[in-house]
Each structure stands twice: as structure tokens, then as C-alpha cells.
Amino acid sequence: MTGIRKAVFPVAGLGTRFLPATKSVAKEMLPLIDRPLIQYAVDEARAAGIDEFIFVTSTGQSVLEAYFGRNSGLERKLKDGGKTNLLNRLRRSNLDDETYNFIQQDSPRGLGHAVSLARDLVGDDPFAVILPDDVIHARRPVLAQMVQNFQGSHMIATEAVPSDRISDYGVVDIAHGTGQVQHLKGLVEKPAADQAPSEFGIVGRYLLHPSIFDQLDGLAPGAGNEIQLTDAIAADIEATGCCGFAFQGERFDCGSVAGYLEATTVFALERAELRDGFKSMLRQRMNLLSAAA
Ligand code: G1P
């Protein structure tokens, strides 16, 4: 084991692309089928051996606290009604009180700022950062793939991105790569397409050495006038090192409506109890569209 036990989940984004839903529902609580986005992220962290969860929120803790805490009344009802499957499903969403913490980020000052707030709770060991908007469909959960390859320097997930979208990402500058592990000589947040140092964009999974906190401390705002995690990692490359990790899996940007719809479709087609009905419904819809064209 690598000793990575803690994960930070920055969940302070406003989710404006999902307004008006996000007027009263936190973005990370939007469901893919029947599990909220945050549950996918927590499950992926658990599969990588993580047992301490740190949520950086904008609105305080109430929504997530209600979600991860026990709902004894509902549990009792399901138990009394003999609904064992539902009860088990419900219980899998519970986190033990002592395993999770909340930090409030009062103003949206960027991903780097959100991570910097976790310094005291993280302490002196390497830790993970998971962006729940990035949902990854993979045979082996991506964070576990990364933990298995972690060597002690910073590690970030990467994937090839079409050039017309590269400027939405942090982009890595690869010195040399062997297989999935790319040794990096630089990173730049949201470069113009013709300035991008490679076609590999950063995806929201990071394993970070705690030296990142010194870099974040006092870091000037970067792209979008926000404190960027990418800039802090770039500043630490010489001292600590950083590799990209070209993971196996398919990533969906669930911060966008199109990515969210695609993820919903892919995850529904994965579910044995939904697959057949959903497939024939999709076929019928496609036929109707072709007939109308
Ligand atoms: C953040 C990171 C960026 C990364 C992206 C992946 O950007 O700053 O480097 O490529 O997540 O989702 P955001 O999408 O929050 O602007």
C-alpha cells in the first residue's frame, strides 16, 4: 500500500450550467441514474483504499451531511417492510461520522484555493484530490490505477483531448513517457489551442505530495483570475516531480449538460436491470428521428 488514506473533494462550484436545478440542489447531488455524482467519487476513492474524506463546500455541510449520515427512520421503515435490497443500497451510502469532514470555502477563488484549505486536515502524507464532475467509467477504478503506479511525486490523470477543446483544460508538457506514465516538465492551465504543449489534458484525479501546500501558500491568481492547482504543481515540478497518468477508462464531463447526458446513457446501458428496456427505447427514439428526417 502507498499510504494514501485521505481524499479531498472540492465541491464548492456553483453549477451554473444546471440552473435552475442548482438553485436549490447542490451540483454534486445531481443523480446519474440513482446515485448522486458525489457517491461515484466517494466509491472510487474507497476502491483505492481511501478511508478519510474531506469535502470543501461553498454552502456549508448540510446537504452532504444529510446524504452521508444515517437516516434511521427510513432504515427502520425499509427493514420493517422487508425491503432488504433497498436497505442495503441505502446503507452503502452512509459514511461513518469520524471518517469525513467539511471545510467551507467562502468565496469561489479557484481549485488551488479549495485544496489549500484542506492543509490541516491532510497533514504530512500524500493525498488524493477528486473532482466529482469528472465521472470515469472504467473496468478498474482510475484512482486505484493511479495509486498502484504512485511513486511519491505528484501524479495527475491525463487524457488526449481534441484541439478545439484543449483550452478548457490544464495541459501537460511531457518530457518523456513510458506506457501510461508520462514524466512531465511542465503544466499550463487553459492555454490557447496554439500554445498547448501537448494534446493531453488534465482530468480531475490527482495524487499529491504534501509539498503542494507550500506552493499554494501565497500563490498568485492565474487563468480566470483564480488560484490554480495546475500552477502550484507546475511550480513544484523541479523539487518534487510530477507524472501524468494516461488512465484506462472513459471520462465524462458531468459539469456540462452534454457530458452528463452521455454519462447517464452509458451508465444506464451498463445496468443489467435497465439495459434491455433502455436499449429498445433508444432504438425506437432513433427510428422516430430517422423517419422524421
Ligand atoms: C479543472 C482544472 C483543469 C482540469 C479540469 C478537469 O478545471 O483546473 O486543469 O483540466 O478541472 O475537469 P475546471 O474544469 O474546474 O475549470
Side-chain angles (χ1 to χ4, degrees):
M1 283 307 284
T2 55
I4 297 192
R5 308 282 303 272
K6 300 184 185 182
V8 177
F9 301 83
V11 287
L14 297 176
T16 47
R17 283 180 282 183
F18 286 90
L19 280 170
T22 44
K23 189 176 163 196
S24 64
V25 177
K27 180 172 62 155
E28 63 278 6
M29 293 307 298
L30 296 174
L32 275 184
I33 324 284
D34 48 14
R35 282 190 304 165
L37 294 176
I38 193 68
Q39 182 74 59
Y40 286 82
V42 164
D43 287 347
E44 190 179 325
R46 279 170 163 161
I50 279 158
D51 54 15
E52 201 175 322
F53 309 90
I54 301 164
F55 301 102
V56 184
T57 76
S58 61
T59 49
Q61 58 204 57
S62 56
V63 177
L64 288 177
E65 202 161 42
Y67 179 73
F68 287 118
R70 285 192 64 179
N71 183 333
S72 318
L74 183 53
E75 286 189 19
R76 201 169 324 108
K77 256 188 220 151
L78 293 174
K79 197 168 172 209
D80 292 349
K83 307 216 154 112
T84 317
N85 281 346
L86 278 180
L87 182 63
N88 290 339
R89 230 203 282 169
L90 182 68
R91 283 192 174 146
R92 275 199 294 275
S93 70
N94 295 345
L95 289 179
D96 291 337
D97 285 351
E98 64 282 6
T99 64
Y100 65 108
N101 280 289
F102 298 101
I103 299 171
Q104 188 157 352
Q105 185 185 24
D106 290 324
S107 54
R109 294 177 56 200
L111 177 58
H113 179 248
V115 171
S116 75
L117 298 175
R119 183 173 200 155
D120 289 346
L121 286 173
V122 166
D124 297 327
D125 293 317
F127 64 105
V129 174
I130 299 187
L131 309 188
D133 276 4
D134 282 341
V135 175
I136 306 177
H137 179 246
R139 271 220 339 246
R140 181 160 159 66
V142 168
L143 203 69
Q145 294 178 33
M146 292 172 71
V147 162
Q148 195 179 19
N149 285 276
F150 184 63
Q151 301 279 338
S153 52
H154 304 302
M155 177 178 262
I156 52 187
T158 63
E159 70 173 1
V161 173
S163 60
D164 60 336
R165 286 195 283 121
I166 197 83
S167 58
D168 292 338
Y169 289 78
V171 181
V172 297
D173 193 355
I174 303 170
H176 58 97
T178 43
Q180 287 183 287
V181 179
Q182 308 158 332
H183 293 273
L184 304 185
K185 57 181 177 192
L187 300 92
V188 39
E189 182 67 16
K190 301 194 172 66
D194 60 355
Q195 307 281 313
S198 77
E199 58 163 345
F200 281 90
I202 299 173
V203 169
R205 303 289 183 275
Y206 307 75
L207 298 179
L208 298 175
H209 186 278
S211 61
I212 200 68
F213 291 116
D214 284 341
Q215 298 295 344
L216 285 167
D217 201 14
L219 186 71
N225 203 27
E226 293 188 339
I227 313 275
Q228 296 292 352
L229 184 57
T230 302
D231 294 347
I233 300 171
D236 206 26
I237 272 200
E238 213 156 289
T240 303
C242 182
C243 9
F245 184 75
F247 59 89
Q248 283 171 345
E250 194 181 0
R251 170 255 188 186
F252 302 97
D253 174 10
C254 290
S256 79
V257 175
Y260 179 78
L261 281 176
E262 193 177 5
T264 303
T265 310
V266 168
F267 281 87
L269 289 170
E270 278 286 301
R271 290 269 287 261
E273 78 282 19
L274 298 177
R275 189 180 301 129
D276 291 347
F278 190 53
K279 255 199 214 158
S280 64
M281 188 266 280
L282 284 177
R283 262 197 216 105
Q284 274 176 28
R285 288 274 148 200
M286 294 311 294
N287 289 342
L288 282 175
L289 277 178
S290 325

